[in-house]
Amino acid sequence: MRPDQLNPLFVESDALDGVGPKLFKPLEKLGLARVKDIAYHLPERFVLRHAVDNLDQASVGEQIVVALTPVDQRASAGRGPYRVMAQDSLGNICALTYFGRASYTARKQLPLGEKRWIAGRLDQYGQMLQIVHPDHVEEESSRLAGKLVEPVYRLAEGLTQPRVAGLVAQALARAPELPEWIEPSLLERQKWPAWRDALMLAHKDEHAAARDRLAYDELLASSLALMLVKESNRTRRGQPLQGNGSLRAKLQLPFGLTGAQKRSIGEIEGDMAQGHPMLRLLQGDVGAGKTVVALESMLVAVEAGTQAAMLAPTEILARQHFETIRRLAAPTGVNVALFTGRDKGKARESILMGLVDGSIDIVIGTHAIFQEAVAYRNLGLVVIDEQHRFGVGQRLMLTQKGRVTPHCLAMTATPIPRTLTLAQYGEMDVSRLDEMPPGRQAIDTRVVSIDRIADVVSGIERHIAGGQQAYWVCPMVRENEGEDLAAAEARYASLKERFGDAVVLVHGQLKPELKDAAMERFASGQAKVLVATTVIEVGVDVPNATLMVIEQAERFGLAQLHQLRGRVGRGSEKSVCLLLRGAELSETAKQRLALMRETQDGFRIAEEDLELRGGGELLGTRQSGESAFNVATLDQIQRLLPLAHDDARLLIDRDGGLASPRGEAARLLLYLFERDWGVQLLRGG
Ligand code: ADP
Ligand code: MG
């Protein structure tokens, strides 16, 4: 149970003044459904304004506060802007420019002949100075005094900066004082503020110590939770499983296993033979051959007389794994079933029966396979195909119920840098598939400007005329969903004009049936071009698809690009990946795309991307979902995680039940960051 103290933070955002259903929507979209989320919606940056007496003291591009008196208004014909010409104390003229509906407000706020205090960015338009959509217009200078430093928040459509700032203020006012969970000596050494103060300060200006403290909290929560899982796992009873090899001997794999695959299988077998449950991570790049390792491990469980379950993150992937595993396992005669949330009625009943009576040996599905209603005769092994880095711990929790804990193998396709492995997976044992199956072709990767899109489309035409298939990927970022979806649909429409029914579209908001139907058409080869948002990242194995176009490639995280690219180069034909880039790219963006061109080694890409992006990056990773953290940035993870890890270790060694006052505070921390599955594992917790 969540401690009462935290309740004010966990109420829905519509409890705040002024939030109705209309405002709640964009808040939810930004991930701000609860008061706590708003309190933690830290500014992306701050505007630093310079108060000037007149425009001679300001330079173009600068954020300023200045007194101006409107002297003239110019509404342009049609859809052009509305301009208020205003004069400073020296007689310099500056246009205050408004587009669209904002001009109505402007008319009211800026009566002719009356001095106003204006905050905004001074720009130049031809020979004219202008401020486009001033941030503030006030009658009295005192009202701008506190606004020389102002936070800038990430927004969604329907939200404005002042709106969000107001909600943040309300959320912060509701934040309770909480007991300290950080080791006092560390707090002192780092000169970190207390939790509530840190939260306030982080919204006020660029307060590095406050930001670090908040990030540290998150890292500590994560380290603690993962350690508790590990700790609890150590004390749990598992069943030693020893396969006799009878089923594995019947497999007729069309290839020999790589050394890395053999080694990993050996490590897994070794773990499964132990009396306490396995907790192992199989890390291997896209295409490294994790599926076979999973299959062999599951066969060990079946040989030993138990069942195995494989958890996939999405329906599509569950289906694909099912098809692959069933095909590969056919010669062994084991019974493989697919179970997803969509199974209803008789079909569902029959699978549930099969799991209880043990006639199903291997079940593959989404999280539905762990619902309360699902009982196993004897579940010996759980394989979690994570692909994405979220909530491995939480998924592990699913396996830690019941009298005897099954062995657990988590698989990830994200070759994250070593420092981040610890952050995301704690002290799990790791097997690395660091050797690709032989005969893999290099994927010819090119960076192409969007200006050349006509050539790219012609390229696709030649490509499919040659009997092959292609992916066309459009970016999809949560914050930008509306626009991104529209862009993907527009691209689909234009390709459809050219290629007709040979094009299918798949995106996250499509009904599952339609999505499956489209995927099916592509997988079977009826459709030649699959236009998709990033849903294809997880899963999809179509060896005949040998061309991938990724639009606005600069907007993707490198790990994501790498995973996407891994969808091609799966067959024997030469594969090509075209990274379409926008017209203007930052230096870092150029380097990042160049790195993609240069190497196909996922581990190297991960390490170098981390370096290229370096410190101070507030966005990016979170947007692209590469990090399991909401507060901590990559830079903070690297600097602070080792501290958090040691601190967590120390706390657990001293007070494994989290019963001391500091332990109690740490429990609060775990709830605050929703790592409470860690707490639940504590005996009596
Ligand atoms: P991932 O690690 O991305 O899940 P898969 O398990 O889907 O990779 O394997 C990718 C492809 O490589 C599959 O077509 C699989 O059959 C093939 N494969 C796996 N292991 C080997 C191997 N040792 N030799 C040759 N091909 C292999
Ligand atoms: Mg896979």
Side-chain angles (χ1 to χ4, degrees):
M1 279 287 279
R2 185 195 314 130
D4 292 343
Q5 276 158 290
L6 295 179
N7 287 347
L9 290 168
F10 279 84
V11 295
E12 301 256 305
S13 306
D14 55 12
L16 298 176
D17 288 342
V19 183
K22 204 171 144 215
L23 196 56
F24 187 70
K25 260 209 179 131
L27 287 175
E28 203 176 16
K29 198 160 192 178
L30 275 180
L32 308 181
R34 296 159 310 172
V35 168
K36 155 190 146 44
D37 307 320
I38 295 184
Y40 268 102
H41 190 54
L42 301 181
E44 268 182 348
R45 58 191 170 85
F46 289 87
V47 187
L48 302 180
R49 298 199 176 93
H50 178 191
V52 294
D53 294 329
N54 55 63
L55 295 169
D56 287 356
Q57 293 176 2
S59 33
V60 168
E62 199 176 12
Q63 296 281 354
I64 56 169
V65 172
V66 66
L68 297 174
T69 306
V71 292
D72 191 14
Q73 294 167 353
R74 289 184 202 160
S76 22
R79 312 186 93 218
Y82 172 73
R83 287 205 168 87
V84 176
M85 309 309 291
Q87 203 172 38
D88 72 358
S89 57
L90 299 179
N92 293 314
I93 293 285
C94 173
L96 305 173
T97 303
Y98 294 86
F99 293 89
R101 259 194 286 166
S103 59
Y104 295 109
T105 332
R107 261 174 243 258
K108 271 197 236 130
Q109 283 183 328
L110 294 162
L112 291 187
E114 290 186 30
K115 183 157 98 175
R116 289 290 181 267
W117 295 85
I118 313 281
R121 201 178 85 139
L122 187 65
D123 286 326
Q124 195 160 5
Y125 180 72
Q127 288 305 303
M128 180 171 63
L129 288 173
Q130 76 169 351
I131 295 175
V132 179
H133 285 207
D135 297 327
H136 301 282
V137 176
E138 297 288 354
E139 287 179 44
E140 312 210 5
S141 65
S142 62
R143 304 210 43 182
L144 284 180
K147 298 196 166 129
L148 291 178
V149 179
E150 210 172 23
V152 179
Y153 294 102
R154 192 155 50 84
L155 299 178
E157 207 179 304
L159 290 172
T160 60
Q161 292 298 341
R163 244 295 146 51
V164 172
L167 296 177
V168 166
Q170 282 192 61
L172 291 178
R174 287 169 180 241
E177 297 279 353
L178 295 176
E180 188 54 72
W181 45 74
I182 297 180
E183 174 82 56
S185 65
L186 177 65
L187 203 65
E188 199 171 310
R189 202 165 63 238
Q190 302 280 355
K191 302 201 167 43
W192 284 340
W195 174 74
R196 191 166 186 275
D197 296 337
L199 210 46
M200 308 267 171
L201 290 167
H203 282 281
K204 248 179 147 162
D205 56 38
E206 281 172 32
H207 200 297
R211 282 264 185 165
D212 276 0
R213 193 240 138 92
L214 297 176
Y216 183 83
D217 288 345
E218 188 180 40
L219 297 169
L220 181 62
S222 168
S223 301
L224 268 174
L226 290 165
M227 250 174 237
L228 288 170
V229 172
K230 170 97 182 174
E231 221 43 42
S232 128
N233 191 74
R234 237 195 290 269
T235 61
R236 257 156 217 277
R237 201 155 67 83
Q239 40 182 346
L241 299 182
Q242 218 142 15
N244 57 11
S246 58
L247 295 174
R248 282 170 287 166
K250 291 188 189 148
L251 283 179
Q252 296 162 10
L253 297 177
F255 45 74
L257 296 176
T258 65
Q261 284 171 322
K262 284 188 198 147
R263 194 186 61 233
S264 300
I265 293 166
E267 287 164 351
I268 292 163
E269 259 192 288
D271 284 2
M272 287 174 66
Q274 305 298 314
H276 65 87
M278 166 169 77
L279 203 53
R280 184 170 282 277
L281 179 70
L282 178 65
Q283 208 181 18
D285 213 340
V286 175
K290 292 184 291 298
T291 317
V292 182
V293 176
L295 172 62
E296 297 242 357
S297 312
M298 293 195 287
L299 290 177
V300 171
V302 180
E303 284 169 9
T306 65
Q307 296 160 294
M310 184 170 186
L311 178 64
T314 64
E315 192 107 19
I316 294 182
L317 197 56
R319 215 164 275 281
Q320 278 223 338
H321 275 318
F322 171 67
E323 299 296 346
T324 311
I325 301 269
R326 188 174 56 171
R327 183 169 40 81
L328 291 174
T332 67
V334 302
N335 187 7
V336 184
L338 173 70
F339 187 59
T340 72
R342 266 198 276 150
D343 294 304
K344 298 270 146 54
K346 277 241 168 66
R348 179 185 156 87
E349 288 303 311
S350 120
I351 293 172
L352 289 177
M353 280 305 287
L355 291 174
V356 172
D357 69 19
S359 56
I360 294 175
D361 302 301
I362 294 177
V363 65
I364 296 168
T366 55
H367 60 275
I369 61 176
F370 285 115
Q371 282 162 0
E372 296 291 328
V374 183
Y376 294 83
R377 190 179 65 81
N378 186 356
L379 184 59
L381 171 69
V382 175
V383 178
I384 302 175
D385 189 10
E386 192 51 41
Q387 303 266 358
H388 276 275
R389 26 280 135 179
F390 302 121
V392 172
Q394 198 158 14
R395 296 270 163 91
L396 286 176
M397 254 302 285
L398 296 170
T399 69
Q400 307 277 305
K401 299 201 163 135
R403 216 166 26 83
V404 179
T405 307
H407 296 285
C408 178
L409 177 69
M411 305 199 294
T412 172
T414 319
I416 50 180
R418 282 184 193 274
T419 42
L420 296 188
T421 312
L422 186 64
Q424 258 143 251
Y425 302 101
E427 293 173 318
M428 288 175 82
D429 300 307
V430 179
S431 296
R432 266 187 162 195
L433 288 182
D434 48 11
E435 175 189 354
M436 279 295 187
R440 254 329 114 78
Q441 297 224 18
I443 298 165
D444 182 5
T445 303
R446 291 177 227 159
V447 181
V448 180
S449 168
I450 186 75
D451 303 340
R452 291 184 44 210
I453 191 159
D455 297 339
V456 173
V457 174
S458 305
I460 290 193
E461 186 153 36
R462 285 192 299 277
H463 187 78
I464 61 182
Q468 301 197 18
Q469 292 165 280
Y471 296 105
W472 188 297
V473 184
C474 301
M476 182 72 143
V477 181
R478 195 178 64 193
E479 286 74 36
N480 215 358
E481 213 166 47
E483 271 174 52
D484 283 347
L485 191 58
E489 276 169 347
R491 182 62 66 216
Y492 168 66
S494 80
L495 289 171
K496 209 173 155 80
E497 261 177 38
R498 182 85 167 247
F499 302 116
D501 281 349
V503 192
V504 287
L505 173 68
V506 172
H507 60 72
Q509 290 181 15
L510 220 52
K511 283 213 184 79
E513 300 83 48
L514 294 177
K515 195 155 49 179
D516 281 3
M519 288 303 305
E520 184 50 42
R521 274 177 54 82
F522 187 68
S524 69
Q526 277 173 285
K528 304 297 178 196
V529 183
L530 175 70
V531 180
T533 57
T534 33
V535 287
I536 66 156
E537 185 186 352
V538 282
V540 185
D541 190 3
V542 182
N544 191 44
T546 48
L547 171 63
M548 171 164 289
V549 179
I550 304 178
E551 209 171 321
Q552 298 186 54
E554 69 272 15
R555 286 181 57 199
F556 290 82
L558 286 197
Q560 226 176 351
L561 284 180
H562 177 69
Q563 278 201 326
L564 284 167
R565 181 171 60 181
R567 297 296 131 206
V568 295
R570 301 202 143 207
S572 49
E573 296 293 325
K574 176 97 196 138
S575 286
V576 177
C577 175
L578 301 179
L579 302 174
L580 295 191
R581 62 165 182 83
E584 278 174 37
L585 281 197
S586 73
E587 206 38 54
T588 311
K590 276 186 201 152
Q591 285 180 30
R592 294 173 74 230
L593 293 184
L595 181 62
M596 289 303 297
R597 208 172 47 207
E598 198 177 305
T599 181
Q600 237 163 284
D601 176 345
F603 287 103
R604 183 178 157 210
I605 288 175
E607 300 283 353
E608 293 199 14
D609 191 24
L610 195 63
E611 245 166 60
L612 275 176
R613 286 194 281 193
E617 162 130 339
L618 295 182
L619 270 179
T621 46
R622 282 197 292 280
Q623 276 188 333
S624 58
E626 273 173 68
S627 164
F629 300 103
N630 289 316
V631 182
T633 61
L634 279 175
D635 164 62
Q636 287 171 320
I637 295 171
Q638 295 193 91
R639 275 189 297 117
L640 302 174
L641 184 76
L643 283 178
H645 185 79
D646 291 350
D647 198 14
R649 183 80 271 156
L650 214 64
L651 179 59
I652 291 196
D653 286 347
R654 269 193 230 149
D655 177 21
L658 299 183
S660 66
R662 199 178 151 224
E664 291 280 347
R667 283 175 189 242
L668 278 177
L669 173 70
L670 289 167
Y671 277 102
L672 183 62
F673 281 99
E674 295 166 87
R675 305 295 211 271
D676 44 303
W677 33 271
V679 184
Q680 287 165 27
L681 287 172
L682 289 172
R683 267 152 302 173

